Amino acid sequence: MNRLQRVLSCLLLCALLACTLAAPVSAAAPLSDVPEDFWAKKDIDRCVALRYFYPESDGSFGVGKEMSRAEFLAVLCRCLGWKPTSPARVVYADVPEKVWYAGAVETAYHNGAITAQDGNFRPDDLITRSEAASMLVRALGYGSIAGLIQDMSLPFRDVKANNGYIVMAYGLGLMDGTSVTAFSPNAHVTREQAAAIMMRLHDKLTDPTTSRIGITDSLTNLPDLKGYEAVGIAAAKLVYNGAPQISYSIGERDAVKIRAAVAEAGAKPLLYVTGGAYQIREGDEEKLAAVLLKAVTDGHYDGLFLEVSGLTAVSQRDVLTAAVQSLNEQLGDRLLYVGAEAPSWKGTIFGYDYAALGEAADRLVLRFTHKKETVAGRAVAPLEPLEQIYYALNRLRGVVDADKLTLILTSTGAVWDGRTPTPLAGKEITEIQETLGTRTHYSDRYACAYLTREKGPDVWYLNAQSIQERIQLARLFGGGHLCLSDLNHALPEVLEAMP
């Protein structure tokens, strides 16, 4: 089963389970060892109702009972909707094909949740908290990211190995420490602790708050907008002529037609305004807010989508922050979306006060810089790499309300002929795919598709699998809001994959 099939099957199961939870559940016999005030009672009851766990033969849950590696893996497979293979084949020397957990082990192995480095699984060994973290992260498809972040700091002083997996399990909110400074990696996982972990995973993957927005500049090839929360109409840019000013790229007549189409679909039409460092001058915060407010009100928009890129100075940060805070007060019931460059893995961006912008805006929309680099001797140029998204969301965890964070995803392709990428419309990507000699690839590390050709540079683009993986990661962080960069030229499968 490939990575997309894993993700889709997991999301499908989660949707079915959400329906299950919404429906009345027949009352089950009380578990004899789970009192009403027990800290994990709710998680235990839900896990039993969902059949992730089964009660013991004596009617108890088994509170305090430490789980074996095989038991934990079987529960994880049930939570993710992975059907055990039957009949099972031998994957590990110490897992006979007839044993009750053989099918779950084989399924988990083929889905990447476990590896066969030494040929043994040790099914009867009690699972440690460190091993549980590894299984969780690998099962979600983030083994590569865990390897990249192994040097990332943790608040736990007792973690000496397996750092990347523990960082992710903790950062995604699936596992806590046993104290403020300890993770207890070698301690064993009890049944009630596993129940709490599984319900956290379940709740994150079934979070229904995912929403979509997009950006457009015309009615040409505009897709069906039903289900979109808002659409930014790219009608204006910031310019500077002694003071901040607005330069319009779409005539008022065309803008009226686009606004009407967006509103008719049930979405909020927002004035999308872009700008750069040149237009952000110290002392101009009120002038900047005033000119933007006037553009929104004069144009009869339902709000503003402001995206300013390239800020690196503290003074620019302060001007943008003050202007956004002023707009927040003056726009009233109108929406305010603010786009900012995402925190960089290998650098620091001084131009954005993420906490203040996130507090003032209805949505803080993160844009990721596209770069070309050489990996194993080959030029790669992924769009919104999954590892960069993880880094940004993890860095902003606790800084910005996760429900406000939104990811801008490139809905078109990119070709690097020189030092900067050239956009490629979805229609052009489809034509290249059908060209003789073109081969389609998918990078699991970056969660990004690309095309290689006999003549011409590689084409990088996001496909349905890429979108699903980004939805899953955003949901695990408590968000799940996506913005398509170009609705008019988007790849059809990207539009279809949006939540």
Side-chain angles (χ1 to χ4, degrees):
M1 181 182 288
N2 63 33
R3 193 169 183 174
L4 175 59
Q5 290 172 320
R6 291 203 312 269
V7 174
L8 290 179
S9 64
C10 178
L11 292 177
L12 176 60
L13 174 80
C14 289
L16 293 173
L17 291 177
C19 293
T20 300
L21 288 179
V25 177
S26 58
L31 298 164
S32 60
D33 60 343
V34 183
E36 289 296 324
D37 59 351
F38 188 57
W39 70 271
K41 176 176 171 51
K42 183 177 179 180
D43 292 327
I44 290 172
D45 288 346
R46 293 177 68 197
C47 273
V48 171
L50 292 167
R51 297 188 178 181
Y52 296 165
F53 279 85
Y54 295 95
E56 301 284 278
S57 58
D58 63 356
S60 67
F61 177 73
V63 169
K65 181 180 178 182
E66 296 173 336
M67 300 186 73
S68 68
R69 286 167 53 85
E71 289 170 336
F72 185 86
L73 189 66
V75 170
L76 179 58
C77 285
R78 294 170 196 154
C79 182
L80 292 177
W82 293 349
K83 185 178 180 180
T85 56
S86 181
R89 293 168 294 181
V90 174
V91 176
Y92 298 93
D94 58 353
V95 180
E97 60 184 21
K98 299 295 185 181
V99 74
W100 70 268
Y101 49 78
V105 169
E106 183 184 351
T107 296
Y109 172 76
H110 289 302
N111 280 287
I114 49 179
T115 62
Q117 293 180 344
D118 62 2
N120 290 306
F121 177 62
R122 298 181 289 109
D124 297 325
D125 286 4
L126 298 178
I127 189 167
T128 66
R129 288 170 52 81
S130 177
E131 291 171 335
S134 293
M135 286 188 189
L136 285 166
V137 172
R138 286 185 178 276
L140 291 168
Y142 303 142
S144 295
I145 297 178
L148 292 170
I149 63 171
Q150 57 186 340
D151 295 328
M152 191 174 288
S153 62
L154 268 171
F156 310 123
R157 300 172 184 172
D158 58 350
V159 175
K160 308 299 181 183
N162 216 29
N163 191 78
Y165 293 98
I166 294 173
V167 165
M168 289 204 75
Y170 173 69
L172 294 176
L174 300 176
M175 297 182 70
D176 295 323
T178 54
S179 73
V180 175
T181 58
F183 185 77
S184 303
N186 297 321
H188 299 137
V189 178
T190 64
R191 283 171 61 86
E192 64 270 24
Q193 290 169 349
I197 292 170
M198 295 306 156
M199 291 320 304
R200 290 173 186 172
L201 178 59
H202 169 88
D203 288 344
K204 287 175 178 291
L205 293 178
T206 58
D207 186 348
T209 59
T210 303
S211 66
R212 50 179 156 165
I213 62 178
I215 300 171
T216 183
D217 61 3
S218 75
L219 290 175
T220 305
N221 297 323
L222 192 63
D224 183 0
L225 298 177
K226 290 181 180 178
Y228 279 77
E229 176 183 273
V231 174
I233 300 174
K237 295 181 180 180
L238 283 174
V239 295
Y240 193 87
N241 186 16
Q245 296 179 2
I246 293 288
S247 173
Y248 291 95
S249 55
I250 298 179
E252 178 56 24
R253 180 177 299 180
D254 290 334
V256 168
K257 292 179 181 178
I258 300 173
R259 287 200 303 270
V262 172
E264 186 178 356
K268 297 287 188 180
L270 309 181
L271 176 61
Y272 177 66
V273 182
T274 58
Y278 182 78
Q279 291 85 36
I280 307 300
R281 306 292 183 93
E282 191 169 359
D284 280 349
E285 43 269 84
E286 289 303 323
K287 295 177 182 178
L288 177 60
V291 72
L292 289 168
L293 179 65
K294 186 176 187 302
V296 171
T297 54
D298 287 354
H300 304 287
Y301 288 91
D302 286 344
L304 173 69
F305 186 165
L306 173 65
E307 185 177 358
V308 181
S309 60
L311 303 188
T312 58
V314 173
S315 59
Q316 294 172 328
R317 178 199 68 191
D318 293 343
V319 170
L320 177 63
T321 300
V324 168
Q325 290 171 334
S326 178
L327 283 165
N328 177 44
E329 295 177 359
Q330 297 181 66
L331 281 171
D333 294 334
R334 290 186 173 95
L335 295 175
L336 175 58
Y337 290 4
V338 177
E341 293 178 51
S344 170
W345 190 295
K346 298 180 180 179
T348 301
I349 297 178
F350 297 101
Y352 304 94
D353 185 337
Y354 297 106
L357 294 177
E359 179 69 24
D362 295 291
R363 291 259 184 265
L364 180 61
V365 188
L366 301 178
R367 184 180 289 276
F368 297 83
T369 303
H370 297 155
K371 297 180 180 180
K372 183 172 68 171
E373 57 182 330
T374 301
V375 177
R378 184 180 185 86
V380 297
L383 306 179
E384 291 85 45
L386 204 64
E387 60 196 45
Q388 296 288 355
I389 293 176
Y390 169 81
Y391 178 81
L393 293 178
N394 187 64
R395 182 167 168 183
L396 295 178
R397 181 170 56 92
V399 176
V400 179
D401 181 354
D403 194 45
K404 288 189 174 186
L405 288 175
T406 303
L407 309 176
I408 287 187
L409 301 184
T410 304
S411 52
T412 57
V415 174
W416 289 74
D417 286 318
R419 302 178 68 179
T420 58
T422 300
L424 205 63
K427 181 180 179 181
E428 295 174 288
I429 295 174
T430 302
E431 292 174 351
I432 293 174
Q433 287 173 327
E434 297 172 352
T435 303
L436 187 65
T438 298
R439 300 184 64 183
T440 302
H441 309 269
Y442 190 83
S443 169
D444 284 328
R445 171 179 171 178
Y446 302 114
C448 191
Y450 63 99
L451 304 175
T452 56
R453 305 181 271 179
E454 292 182 353
K455 295 182 180 180
D458 296 349
V459 177
W460 286 82
Y461 63 100
L462 302 181
N463 61 6
Q465 180 175 351
S466 306
I467 300 298
Q468 293 291 349
E469 295 211 44
R470 283 153 182 76
I471 292 171
Q472 175 179 280
L473 183 58
R475 280 178 171 165
L476 287 167
F477 273 105
H481 308 293
L482 305 180
C483 174
L484 291 184
S485 66
D486 185 344
L487 290 172
N488 304 87
H489 302 96
L491 196 65
E493 66 174 304
V494 169
L495 293 171
E496 294 173 4
M498 288 290 283

